[in-house]
Amino acid sequence: TDSMRAELLQAAGQPALVARKDGDVLAAVAAKRIAATYEAPYLAHACMEPMNCTAWHKGDALEIWAGTQAPGLNRDVLSKVVELAPEKITVNTLYLGGGFGRRFAQDFVIDAAILSKMARAPVKLVYSREDDTRAMFYRPASVCNFSGGLDDKGAPVLFTARSASSSISQAAQMPLDKGIDGFAVEGIRQMPYAIANVQVEWAQKETPISVWFWRSVGHSQNIYFVESFIDEMAALAGKDPFLFRRDLLDQAPRYKGVLELAASKASWGKPLPVGHFHGIAVGESFGSYVAEVAEVSVAKNGEVRVHKVVCAVDCGMTVNPDIVKRQMESAIVYGLSAALYGKISIKNGRIEQGNFDLYPVLRMSEAPLVDVHIVASKEAPGGVGEPGLPPLAPAVVNAIFAATGKRLRKLPIDAAELIRA
C-alpha cells in the first residue's frame, strides 16, 4: 500500500492531462492561497450476499441463475466462454443481495458455467467471504492535489485539482476520451461553484491492483475531495461553509436548491446539543442533486459518532417517493461504512482484509437518524441508487473540523488523529 500510495502522489505531483480549463489559473491574482492533498483508499463492495451462481450446461444450451447487474452482458460473455450461440443461453436474474457495481462483473458467472460444462451437471457456486473480498474488484485508490485562491474580499478566484488513479474504463474495456477516463474525473470536472479560473487534470497510474465500478463510481471519492477542499476555502475566507457555497451557486440553481433545503431542514446555524456540530456538502451524480448535513460529535478518545443526517434530493420527477427515501438512506449508511472503516490494504503482495473482522461495516447501533426531503420537480428523472453517497463523507469530515479544528484529508477516518487531552 505504501509504495503504491507513493506512486500515486508522485503522479499527482506532475503536470497531467487537462480535463477542464476555465480562465487562466497561472495569471490569477489571489490575496490568499491554500493548498491541500486528499487521499482515498481501495474499497471492496462487501455485498451481504457473497457472489454466487447456479449454472446448468446441457450440452447444446446453458441456463444460469444469478443475482447480476448485467444479464445481457453475461449472456454475450458466456457465449464466448462456453462456445454457444447467445440464443442458447438463458439468464435467470435473481435478487442481488447487494450489488453496488460488484455484480456487474462476470467472474462468478463464468466460474459456474465452466464448472458445469466440465462436470456435465448442474453446479451451484458460492464464493466464500474471503474469496469475494480478495477477488480484486475494488474502487480505485486515488489522490488529489488542490490549490485555491481568494481575492481581498474572500471571494474565490482560483481552483485547481490534479488527481491520480487507475482507470476503471480500461479495466472494463471501455474507451478513454482523449486519454482521460471520465469516471476518474467525474465529480471534480463538474465542480459547480462560480470561480473564474479553474483547471482540472488527471494522471493515469496503473498498479497491480484491479479496479472496478463501486457505488457512485468516481463521484464517491471526488465529491469528498472537492467538498472538503471547498470547506477549507470557506474557512480561509472566514465565512460560514453553507453561505460560502450558496453565494457561489447562483448559476447552478438545482445545486443551490438542495443546499438551501438541507440547511433549512437541519436548522443550520441554530444551537445544537452540547458537543454536536454540523457539516455540509452537496454534489450531483447520475442526473440527481443531493445535499447533506451531518450532525456529529467527537469523543475525547477520538471516537466519531454521526447522530443525524439531513438529506435533500432533487432527482427530477418522482414516481415512488418511498423508494427515493430508502435509496438515500441506503447510500448514506453505505457511505458512512466507507468513511469510518473502509480500506483495502496490501502487504507483502497480499490483500490484508478477508472478512468483516478486518473490513467492518456499519452496525445498526451506529446508524444515524436519516431525514430525507425530496424537491418537487418537473425535470427529467435522475438516478437515486447512487447519488446519496458522495456528499456523506465530506459532510461528516467537515463536521469533524467544526468540532475539533482538525482537517481529515485521508479516508477512512482515523480516530487516533482526533484524540484530545
Side-chain angles (χ1 to χ4, degrees):
T1 295
D2 291 342
S3 62
M4 286 187 282
R5 174 176 177 265
E7 290 177 2
L8 287 170
L9 288 168
Q10 182 181 27
Q14 301 170 357
L17 295 174
V18 176
R20 174 180 172 182
K21 181 177 174 61
D22 300 345
D24 187 341
V25 296
L26 296 178
V29 177
K32 293 182 179 180
R33 291 180 179 264
I34 185 173
T37 298
Y38 280 82
E39 304 178 40
Y42 292 106
L43 291 177
H45 301 79
C47 307
M48 287 294 102
E49 179 183 318
M51 300 303 105
N52 62 90
C53 176
T54 296
W56 189 359
H57 194 289
K58 305 172 185 178
D60 61 349
L62 171 68
E63 188 168 4
I64 70 165
W65 293 260
T68 172
Q69 293 175 255
L73 180 59
N74 280 342
R75 183 197 60 189
D76 295 341
V77 169
L78 290 174
S79 173
K80 298 176 183 178
V81 170
V82 300
E83 298 179 320
L84 288 172
E87 59 268 22
K88 295 292 185 180
I89 298 173
T90 301
V91 179
N92 299 289
T93 305
L94 310 179
Y95 288 122
L96 296 179
F100 318 123
R102 177 66 181 93
R103 294 186 197 274
F104 184 67
Q106 294 92 49
D107 56 319
F108 55 100
V109 175
I110 291 172
D111 287 355
I114 291 174
L115 290 170
S116 178
K117 184 177 181 180
M118 293 170 66
R120 299 181 182 179
V123 168
K124 179 179 180 179
L125 173 74
V126 182
Y127 281 10
S128 70
R129 177 61 60 184
E130 288 75 13
D131 287 338
D132 200 1
T133 304
R134 296 181 174 133
M136 299 288 279
F137 289 92
Y138 302 126
R139 199 272 307 268
S142 57
V143 303
C144 191
N145 288 336
F146 287 101
S147 65
L150 306 174
D151 64 18
D152 54 7
K153 296 181 180 179
V157 294
L158 165 68
F159 177 96
T160 73
R162 182 187 296 138
S163 67
S165 68
S166 301
S167 169
I168 292 175
S169 290
Q170 288 200 340
Q173 299 182 1
M174 299 169 67
L176 302 183
D177 180 13
K178 298 179 181 178
I180 295 175
D181 185 337
F183 298 121
V185 295
E186 61 185 5
I188 304 179
R189 181 157 57 184
Q190 297 87 354
M191 188 279 299
Y193 301 106
I195 303 174
N197 303 289
V198 176
Q199 187 154 314
V200 176
E201 301 176 29
W202 176 64
Q204 182 176 357
K205 183 61 185 178
E206 299 301 329
T207 76
I209 304 301
S210 299
V211 297
W212 198 243
F213 305 94
W214 191 90
R215 192 171 188 173
S216 75
V217 201
H219 302 96
S220 67
Q221 75 270 16
N222 290 337
I223 289 177
Y224 156 65
F225 293 158
V226 169
E227 285 296 290
S228 298
F229 186 67
I230 287 293
D231 229 63
E232 293 204 49
M233 293 184 72
L236 181 66
K239 296 183 178 181
D240 175 273
F242 159 62
L243 297 177
F244 184 79
R245 287 172 169 83
R246 188 193 65 181
D247 292 346
L248 298 173
L249 291 174
D250 286 341
Q251 298 175 31
R254 296 181 75 184
Y255 279 98
K256 188 174 182 179
V258 291
L259 183 80
E260 291 179 331
L261 180 58
S264 172
K265 295 297 183 181
S267 299
W268 182 272
K270 295 182 180 179
L272 290 168
V274 175
H276 289 212
F277 296 84
H278 271 160
I280 195 167
V282 63
E284 179 274 333
S285 57
F286 306 93
S288 295
Y289 300 76
V290 178
E292 291 169 4
V293 175
E295 183 180 328
V296 174
S297 64
V298 182
K300 288 187 176 181
N301 67 357
E303 180 181 346
V304 173
R305 178 75 193 213
V306 180
H307 301 273
K308 184 178 182 180
V309 178
V310 175
C311 170
V313 53
D314 176 356
C315 56
M317 291 182 287
T318 59
V319 175
N320 187 332
D322 287 342
I323 287 179
V324 177
K325 291 180 179 180
R326 289 167 187 164
Q327 287 287 3
M328 293 300 120
E329 292 166 354
S330 168
I332 286 166
V333 168
Y334 198 78
L336 187 53
S337 283
L340 292 176
Y341 304 123
K343 181 182 180 182
I344 288 290
S345 56
I346 302 94
K347 186 176 182 180
N348 297 326
R350 294 181 179 271
I351 305 298
E352 293 190 282
Q353 295 76 18
N355 213 316
F356 290 125
D357 56 337
L358 296 179
Y359 197 87
V361 296
L362 201 71
R363 301 298 180 120
M364 294 172 98
S365 61
E366 301 172 295
L369 175 67
V370 178
D371 183 20
V372 178
H373 300 271
I374 303 171
V375 174
S377 174
K378 294 183 180 179
E379 297 284 349
V384 294
E386 307 186 73
L389 186 146
L392 187 280
V396 170
V397 298
N398 291 340
I400 290 171
F401 172 75
T404 66
K406 294 184 179 180
R407 288 286 177 193
L408 298 182
R409 300 188 180 102
K410 185 178 180 180
L411 291 178
I413 292 164
D414 185 356
E417 295 186 34
L418 303 174
I419 295 173
R420 291 167 289 168

